[in-house]
Amino acid sequence: MLGGTELKVCVLGLGYIGLPTAAVIARTGAQVLGVDVSPHVVDTVNSGRVHIEEVDLDGLVSGVVARGSLRASTQIEPADVFVIAVPTPFGADHVPDVGYVLKAATAVATVLKPGDTVILESTSPVGTTEQVRDFVADLRPDLKVPGRTGEGADVAIAYCPERVLPGRILVELIDNDRVIGGITPRCARRALQFYRRFVRGACVTTTARAAEMTKLTENAFRDVNIAFANELSRVAETLGVDVWEVIRLANRHPRVNILQPGPGVGGHCIAVDPWFLVHGAPDDTKLIRAAREVNDAKCDHVIEHASALIAAHPGLTVACLGLAFKANIDDFRESPALKIAAALAHRFGTRVRIVEPYANVLPFAFDGTGATLADLDDALERTGIMIALVDHDVFRSVPLEERADKYVYDTRGIWPDQPAAPDTRQVRLAG
Ligand code: SAJ
């Protein structure tokens, strides 16, 4: 059944992961239903359009919707495989909130039948897949669930984290290796059959708990390494050295590969997931917690530095370049650039212009500030101070002659040729 073209798949959550996943599965010939709580998202997908920006996604979705392989609904329906791809935010004190996952599991339980496979893809604290299993077991006492009834279970439940990079989602969904953790080995094998339909990368099986921790480990690894770069940028600033040059030189060592400092870490993954490890083992996560704090503090540091620069030049207007959480995407979630630009807008009001080619209007964080959205050419002509917050290609390609006469605070190291103005020397070097 799992390998056949008649496979019915239900993807819960049509966000940045769920929609591309649903579309890629639909392309294999499976009948895919995407379920989302938002009627707007459902209507958009059913009309063959997309509500998120991702390379090549619009063409793929319009194709599979036109062929009838993908449709969307606010209501769940019976299927052979259920893929849960809903958000897992954290609440107060960084406590993970798996409420959406359990809500999705509750919906799945209403239509689950023997032979079905349930796969959780949402980034989750260790133990969440077992929680899903327990939920299903309680709601459906008529079904034998895995791990509670030995290997003779009616349904398979597994965890398989998404690992795709925004901007490369459709490529990485196919090419990346997948870690598939079953509640039991049989569950893992069932889920493996499913992923083999569309994944070209290696699919490796393990336990659900190991797969959950693997995902959190990957993002904590990146966070810790970015924190190292951000800490270096602070050290270099204090010592009056160009951090970008130091990193370039250190990376010539065959076993050194330092990441890039920036204005802090954003997105819904790297700035969030390490907290799930901290919450799971608070006494054992000193480094992971410290990295989170270093990266968050970098954002505040940039606000203070930029504010000092702007306050020192009361006659000049300011361009904040970028709001996205990283280069060349339209995703503003947990974005340090947005936080910094909004803080500056609240402090300096109408002096602030925001340049973000991926925004049509300013996000609500700017309401009441008097700051305005400007295009890049306009900002280059009219502003005397530029704060580079995102390394979009379009910013990177601004030639020196268009910025040589400005005060520049380059938090991403995109303009190594920028001359140091006497009173901004430290600012420029800091990153
Ligand atoms: N950043 C830096 N310096 C760097 C690299 C990144 O400051 O050298 C910043 C970015 O500007 C951004 C943040 O870190 O604000 C995160 O960006 P990212 O490109 O490192 O990662 P994400 O959040 O887009 O995607 C990550 C990926 N995880 C890893 O690389 C380990 C992706 O593979 C995951 O699927 C994704 O998280 C996720 O969904 O968990």
Side-chain angles (χ1 to χ4, degrees), residues 51-230:
H51 62 289
I52 50 174
E53 193 72 32
E54 177 59 38
V55 178
D56 295 336
L57 184 63
D58 45 358
L60 176 61
V61 167
S62 74
V64 288
V65 169
R67 269 214 321 266
S69 316
L70 173 65
R71 65 198 166 84
S73 172
T74 54
Q75 297 301 317
I76 197 164
E77 292 176 16
D80 306 304
V81 179
F82 297 88
V83 177
I84 300 175
V86 295
T88 42
F90 56 57
D93 296 329
H94 305 114
V95 177
D97 174 1
V98 295
Y100 295 117
V101 171
L102 298 180
K103 221 170 147 196
T106 305
V108 170
T110 61
V111 293
L112 203 58
K113 59 185 184 320
D116 289 354
T117 302
V118 182
I119 301 165
L120 176 60
E121 284 208 4
S122 311
T123 303
S124 301
V126 175
T128 307
T129 312
E130 290 166 352
Q131 238 184 312
V132 166
R133 184 269 318 273
D134 294 342
F135 242 67
V136 171
D138 288 347
L139 291 164
R140 291 293 303 274
D142 56 311
L143 289 175
K144 280 189 270 167
V145 299
R148 280 200 173 178
T149 52
E151 288 287 302
D154 286 333
V155 293
I157 302 180
Y159 181 74
C160 179
E162 60 81 13
R163 304 165 113 178
V164 291
L165 201 67
R168 285 179 45 82
I169 291 181
L170 290 181
V171 175
E172 295 205 357
L173 264 178
I174 311 286
D175 287 344
N176 286 4
D177 293 355
R178 299 299 292 246
V179 175
I180 301 169
I183 290 280
T184 64
R186 185 174 290 187
C187 292
R189 287 195 295 274
R190 296 277 304 181
L192 176 72
Q193 272 180 279
F194 170 67
Y195 283 101
R196 283 223 172 109
R197 286 177 67 96
F198 62 94
V199 173
R200 245 194 322 249
C203 294
V204 185
T205 56
T206 181
T207 63
R209 291 178 80 86
E212 288 162 343
M213 182 158 161
T214 300
K215 168 68 192 190
L216 301 178
T217 300
E218 291 163 3
N219 281 353
F221 171 86
R222 197 151 167 86
D223 197 45
V224 168
N225 281 278
I226 297 169
F228 181 70
N230 278 334

Side-chain angles (χ1 to χ4, degrees), residues 282-344:
D283 296 336
D284 309 313
T285 41
K286 287 193 180 58
L287 176 66
I288 296 170
R289 175 190 282 274
R292 273 284 71 245
E293 288 165 356
V294 165
N295 285 333
D296 283 348
K298 185 67 195 293
C299 188
D300 298 329
H301 177 77
V302 170
I303 293 172
E304 290 320 312
H305 242 74
S307 296
L309 176 64
I310 299 166
H313 301 93
L316 297 180
T317 50
V318 185
C320 290
L321 302 191
L323 295 178
F325 86 82
K326 65 176 191 175
N328 305 323
I329 59 169
D330 74 334
D331 191 341
F332 303 160
R333 291 178 299 173
E334 314 283 333
S335 171
L338 192 148
K339 183 177 167 196
I340 293 162
L344 297 177

